C-alpha cells in the first residue's frame, strides 16, 4: 500500500521536530516522491549519516511501502 | 539477519575491485531506474566499476542492506567503503564532489561535465 505525502511528512517531523520538509509527488501515484529536508539534526554529519537519520524516521518503510522516495538533506547550521 | 556465508560473499565482492556497484540488473542492462542512474554517472565519469546484480541472489540482495545498514539498492562502494545510494551519488555528481572523492582515493575520474 503506497503512502501519502502527509504521512511521510508527519513521520519525519515526529523524529525531526523543527525541520523543514518539502515533498513533491513526482508521478501522482503515491509511490514516487522527492523529499527535501532541512534540519539542525544534520549539522556536522556526512550525507550517509543524514540519510540514515531520515530512513530511521521512516521506521523501516523505505524499500518496503516506500519504493521510490528521493531524499535530499540540508543541514541547518547552529 | 546476515549469515556468515553471505557476509563473506559480500565482503569478497566489495574488495574485488576499487569501485563496486551493487545494483539491479547489469551495467549493460540495468533493470531499475535508480541503478541505471548510477551506472550513467560512473560511465560519464569514465570510472571503471564492477556491477553486482543483486537480482541473481536474494541472499546478497537482502544481505547487503543489513551489511551496510542501508535499506535500498543500488549501493556504491569505493575502495571498500560505502559511499551512497542513488540520491547521494547524484547529488555528489552534480556538485563535483564525486570526481573529487574518486581523485583523492587515487581513482581517475573525468571532470564532471559543465552543468549539462
Amino acid at each position: 500500500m503506497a503512502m501519502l505525502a502527509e504521512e511521510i511528512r508527519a513521520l519525519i517531523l515526529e523524529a525531526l521536530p523543527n525541520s523543514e520538509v518539502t515533498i513533491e509527488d513526482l508521478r501522482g501515484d503515491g509511490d514516487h516522491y522527492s523529499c527535501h529536508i532541512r534540519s539542525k539534526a544534520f549539522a556536522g554529519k556526512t550525507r550517509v549519516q543524514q540519510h540514515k537519520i531520515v530512513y530511521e524516521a521512516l521506521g523501516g518503510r523505505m524499500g518496503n511501502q516506500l519504493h521510490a522516495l528521493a531524499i535530499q538533506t540540508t543541514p541547518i547550521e547552529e | 539477519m546476515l549469515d556468515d556465508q553471505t557476509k563473506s560473499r559480500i565482503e569478497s565482492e566489495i574488495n574485488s575491485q576499487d569501485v563496486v556497484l551493487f545494483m539491479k540488473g547489469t551495467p549493460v542492462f540495468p533493470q531499475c531506474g535508480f541503478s541505471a542512474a548510477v551506472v550513467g554517472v560512473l560511465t560519464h565519469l569514465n570510472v571503471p566499476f564492477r556491477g553486482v546484480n543483486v537480482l541473481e541472489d536474494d541472499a546478497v540482495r537482502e544481505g547487503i542492506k543489513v551489511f551496510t545498514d542501508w535499506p535500498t539498492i543500488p549501493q556504491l562502494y569505493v575502495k571498500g567503503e560505502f559511499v551512497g545510494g542513488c540520491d547521494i551519488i547524484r547529488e555528489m555528481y552534480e556538485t563535483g564532489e564525486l570526481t573529487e572523492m574518486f581523485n583523492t582515493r587515487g581513482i581517475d575520474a573525468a571532470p564532471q561535465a559543465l552543468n549539462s
Side-chain angles (χ1 to χ4, degrees), chain A residues 37-54:
Chain A
I37 305 137
R38 291 177 188 79
S39 174
K40 286 196 181 109
F42 300 145
K45 298 225 169 31
T46 66
R47 275 202 184 89
V48 169
Q49 289 166 331
Q50 292 175 35
H51 283 226
K52 280 188 178 178
I53 290 170
V54 177

Side-chain angles (χ1 to χ4, degrees), chain B residues 24-44:
Chain B
K24 290 178 183 172
T26 63
V28 178
F29 292 110
Q31 288 173 268
C32 142
F34 300 114
S35 292
V38 177
V39 166
V41 164
L42 295 174
T43 307
H44 195 89

Side-chain angles (χ1 to χ4, degrees), chain A residues 47-48 51-52 55 70-71, chain B residues 68-70 83 87 92 97:
Chain A
R47 275 202 184 89
V48 169
H51 283 226
K52 280 188 178 178
Y55 288 147
I71 288 175
Chain B
T68 315
D69 182 26
W70 188 262
V83 175
D87 296 338
M92 288 177 72
E97 279 172 73

Side-chain angles (χ1 to χ4, degrees), chain B residues 42-116:
Chain B
L42 295 174
T43 307
H44 195 89
L45 294 182
N46 240 328
V47 169
F49 67 98
R50 173 182 162 75
V52 177
N53 183 0
V54 302
L55 298 180
E56 282 172 2
D57 183 333
D58 264 346
V60 169
R61 178 177 185 169
E62 294 314 316
I64 189 66
K65 295 174 187 173
V66 175
F67 184 86
T68 315
D69 182 26
W70 188 262
T72 55
I73 302 290
Q75 295 185 18
L76 184 67
Y77 273 80
V78 175
K79 293 209 169 177
E81 200 185 320
F82 176 61
V83 175
C86 182
D87 296 338
I88 287 178
I89 297 307
R90 227 192 312 225
E91 199 172 339
M92 288 177 72
Y93 171 64
E94 281 155 13
T95 61
E97 279 172 73
L98 198 58
T99 297
E100 205 186 309
M101 183 271 297
F102 278 128
N103 291 338
T104 48
R105 297 190 193 184
I107 296 165
D108 278 336
Q112 183 252 342
L114 293 169
N115 286 353
S116 48

